Amino acid sequence: MAYIQGFLSRISDLLLCRWTCRHCCEKCYESSCCQSSEDEVEILGPFPAQTPPWLMAGRSSDKDGDSVHTASEVPLTPRTNSPDRRCSSSDTSKSTYSLTRRISSLESRRPSSPLIDIKPIEFGVLSAKKEPIQPSVLRRTYTPDDYFRKFEPQLYSLDSNSDDVDFLTDEEILSKYQLGMLHFSTQYDLLHNHLTVRVIEARDLPPPISHDGSRQDMAHSNPYVKICLLPDQKNSKQTGVKRKTQKPVFEERYTFEIPFLEAQRRTLLLTVVDFDKFSRHCVIGKVSVPLCEVDLVKGGHWWKALVPSSQNEVELGELLLSLNYLPSAGRLNVDVIRAKQLLQTDVSQGSDPFVKIQLVHGLKLVKTKKTSFLRGTIDPFYNESFSFKVPQEELENASLVFTVFGHNMKSSNDFIGRIVIGQYSSGPSESNHWRRMLNTHRTAVEQWHSLRSRAECDRVSPASLEVT
């Protein structure tokens, strides 16, 4: 019986030491490793672990606590070979007492969920030298200034001029800006895949404004409407001009060939413009309607109040040209193909536009040619070709001045717009067209150009000053 109790005592000490000591099992069996509580305690498991903080705290508290508790944790070696039965019983009771105190001490130190610190996994190739590779996390440090740079102060401005008209009713817009109202309708034809826009009428338009004092009738306007589907402003439509009225009735329909899904992504823009024969046309106001917000198939008509437009003047139109140079013949060939959305110069019948082409060498006018004029249109098709003799050594000093006029039999022709291409180009688009022609001899190069005012061309191009 004493031998069994001694063996159980050693087994209990061995199991307890397995969880409280890092030395081997042989020393644990001989009870030679648990002589002091100063040893480092570690939880052994399937992963190498560091010393849990709850055990480290327990050891520090043991050092500062009572010494009886520390002494009780020193295991007593049972003596199984003693002939005295009382000594064996005493050793067994001491070992049992020591085991009970250790278990209760460990249970009091152990938290409800022990923390296990797992070492990082090392990645590497099978070689003599292994290097740990850890993914690095790129983190950007933000300063308070970085957040304030994202703010757009104009969105938080309390200026009354920057109010968003989307939050105002038509009555509020009309009373605030007093630009009048426009009546129109839209409907999409699924059978023919086109959108129909009907401009019906307008009312309560403001009186005209003349900035240069050239306006003769300051009591009545000559309004017309331009229609386009944003963001495409090039393919626009235009109603006729209604003379001397603030309540024009248009009753005109226009169709746009566009797929249904694409039409829903567009915004209908209607711009009311005041025609002025002696100066630039003035924008009265505009109405914009996102087509995704209306039922295009069912259709409908609306009265909408006009709001101010950031574009005070109407564009002058566009001109499509083709340039080609033949070095062997020393010929510069120019094709005037077509124009579109030209500024209307006649109230009743639109315009009778024609194009004048003038060759300037350096600052000297060399040759002048012009197209025929087409009656009653702002979208003329010319398809006319002209040829100028320009030696190759003089090509770099040459300039071509294109001026669009409205034919007028009673008085001088009405100026519509101008561009200059060549040595003294009037803009980046014109310079790009000239460079492309120089780089591709014997090949025609086409390009659209937006017309500019006479004053703008005279300011940037000396060649424009040499022509009339």
Side-chain angles (χ1 to χ4, degrees):
M1 185 65 181
Y3 174 78
I4 294 176
Q5 291 179 350
F7 178 77
L8 291 177
S9 176
R10 288 178 177 270
I11 290 298
S12 63
D13 290 342
L14 173 62
L15 295 177
L16 182 60
C17 190
R18 177 74 179 99
W19 289 94
T20 59
C21 182
R22 63 170 58 197
H23 293 288
C24 63
C25 295
E26 295 180 357
K27 294 184 178 181
C28 291
Y29 184 79
E30 297 176 358
S31 300
S32 61
C33 61
C34 300
Q35 300 300 325
S36 173
S37 62
E38 296 293 333
D39 292 340
E40 188 173 348
V41 180
E42 176 181 36
I43 292 181
L44 300 180
F47 300 96
Q50 298 179 358
T51 303
W54 56 275
L55 286 179
M56 297 296 294
R59 286 201 305 271
S60 60
S61 62
D62 288 345
K63 293 178 183 179
D64 300 334
D66 75 76
S67 58
V68 177
H69 178 72
T70 305
S72 64
E73 294 187 4
V74 179
L76 298 177
T77 305
R79 291 174 289 182
T80 58
N81 297 328
S82 173
D84 190 355
R85 186 181 184 87
R86 295 179 179 178
C87 293
S88 299
S89 177
S90 176
D91 292 342
T92 303
S93 62
K94 290 181 180 180
S95 298
T96 305
Y97 177 77
S98 175
L99 176 61
T100 303
R101 291 295 300 272
R102 290 187 187 186
I103 293 176
S104 61
S105 175
L106 289 176
E107 290 296 331
S108 62
R109 297 175 190 177
R110 186 187 302 272
S112 59
S113 59
L115 303 176
I116 300 178
D117 184 14
I118 303 177
K119 294 182 180 180
I121 302 175
E122 297 183 358
F123 299 92
V125 288
L126 297 176
S127 61
K129 183 179 180 181
K130 293 190 297 183
E131 296 181 357
I133 302 175
Q134 295 294 335
S136 60
V137 180
L138 299 178
R139 296 181 180 178
R140 178 181 175 185
T141 57
Y142 288 91
T143 61
D145 294 338
D146 294 335
Y147 296 97
F148 290 104
R149 290 193 190 101
K150 299 180 181 179
F151 293 156
E152 298 182 12
Q154 65 272 15
L155 299 180
Y156 306 94
S157 174
L158 298 178
D159 187 6
S160 59
N161 295 328
S162 61
D163 290 342
D164 192 354
V165 296
D166 294 337
F167 299 99
L168 301 179
T169 63
D170 288 329
E171 291 76 11
E172 294 173 340
I173 294 175
L174 184 61
S175 61
K176 179 177 181 179
Y177 299 109
Q178 299 182 358
L179 296 178
M181 301 190 72
L182 182 64
H183 189 196
F184 62 97
S185 67
T186 62
Q187 188 170 20
Y188 191 86
D189 189 345
L190 291 174
L191 183 62
H192 299 92
N193 290 329
H194 66 249
L195 175 69
T196 301
V197 179
R198 177 187 172 201
V199 182
I200 305 173
E201 60 180 322
R203 71 184 183 193
D204 301 329
L205 298 180
I209 299 175
S210 179
H211 298 284
D212 54 5
S214 61
R215 185 73 178 243
Q216 295 180 355
D217 187 0
M218 297 299 297
H220 302 91
S221 300
N222 302 313
Y224 65 93
V225 181
K226 298 192 71 172
I227 310 105
C228 67
L229 298 177
L230 298 178
D232 182 15
Q233 296 185 2
K234 303 300 182 182
N235 299 319
S236 60
K237 311 291 184 179
Q238 178 178 316
T239 68
V241 179
K242 303 302 176 180
R243 300 183 61 181
K244 297 182 178 182
T245 178
Q246 309 307 119
K247 299 179 180 180
V249 178
F250 300 100
E251 283 294 347
E252 299 184 26
R253 297 173 183 265
Y254 300 92
T255 59
F256 294 86
E257 301 291 337
I258 185 173
F260 179 74
L261 294 179
E262 179 64 22
Q264 290 185 314
R265 291 191 285 265
R266 300 294 186 92
T267 298
L268 175 64
L269 177 63
L270 303 169
T271 306
V272 182
V273 187
D274 182 18
F275 174 88
D276 189 355
K277 181 178 178 62
F278 301 101
S279 64
R280 297 287 293 272
H281 299 185
C282 180
V283 176
I284 297 176
K286 68 176 183 178
V287 171
S288 58
V289 179
L291 296 182
C292 61
E293 299 178 0
V294 300
D295 189 344
L296 294 178
V297 178
K298 181 180 179 180
H301 62 90
W302 303 271
W303 277 99
K304 290 290 184 179
L306 296 175
V307 298
S309 174
S310 58
Q311 182 182 359
N312 296 325
E313 296 180 345
V314 181
E315 294 182 355
L316 302 177
E318 293 185 278
L319 187 63
L320 178 60
L321 302 172
S322 175
L323 302 180
N324 179 24
Y325 184 72
L326 302 176
S328 58
R331 307 297 295 183
L332 177 60
N333 299 324
V334 179
D335 295 335
V336 180
I337 303 174
R338 59 168 296 195
K340 66 179 181 180
Q341 294 301 306
L342 296 178
L343 185 69
Q344 188 168 338
T345 59
D346 190 274
V347 176
S348 58
Q349 56 182 2
S351 298
D352 300 332
F354 68 93
V355 182
K356 182 186 288 188
I357 308 102
Q358 296 168 294
L359 174 64
V360 178
H361 182 266
L363 296 178
K364 182 180 178 180
L365 179 61
V366 177
K367 195 73 174 179
T368 299
K369 298 183 179 183
K370 62 181 180 181
T371 68
S372 58
F373 66 90
L374 303 179
R375 294 185 178 274
T377 179
I378 59 174
D379 300 303
F381 285 84
Y382 296 104
N383 289 322
E384 298 185 25
S385 299
F386 305 91
S387 181
F388 297 91
K389 185 172 180 58
V390 181
Q392 189 170 5
E393 60 272 10
E394 298 179 1
L395 184 61
E396 61 180 8
N397 296 324
S399 298
L400 290 171
V401 181
F402 297 87
T403 307
V404 182
F405 290 96
H407 181 70
N408 194 331
M409 298 183 62
K410 298 180 180 180
S411 61
S412 60
N413 296 324
D414 301 320
F415 177 89
I416 296 179
R418 171 179 292 175
I419 60 169
V420 182
I421 301 177
Q423 179 187 12
Y424 300 111
S425 296
S426 55
S429 175
E430 293 85 339
S431 299
N432 181 46
H433 194 181
W434 186 256
R435 284 195 302 267
R436 290 170 57 200
M437 184 206 68
L438 295 178
N439 295 333
T440 56
H441 289 170
R442 302 181 182 87
T443 303
V445 180
E446 293 184 5
Q447 185 171 323
W448 281 98
H449 296 278
S450 297
L451 296 177
R452 306 174 185 270
S453 64
R454 189 196 303 268
E456 183 179 358
C457 290
D458 291 346
R459 184 172 61 253
V460 299
S461 175
S464 178
L465 297 172
E466 302 301 322
V467 301
T468 57

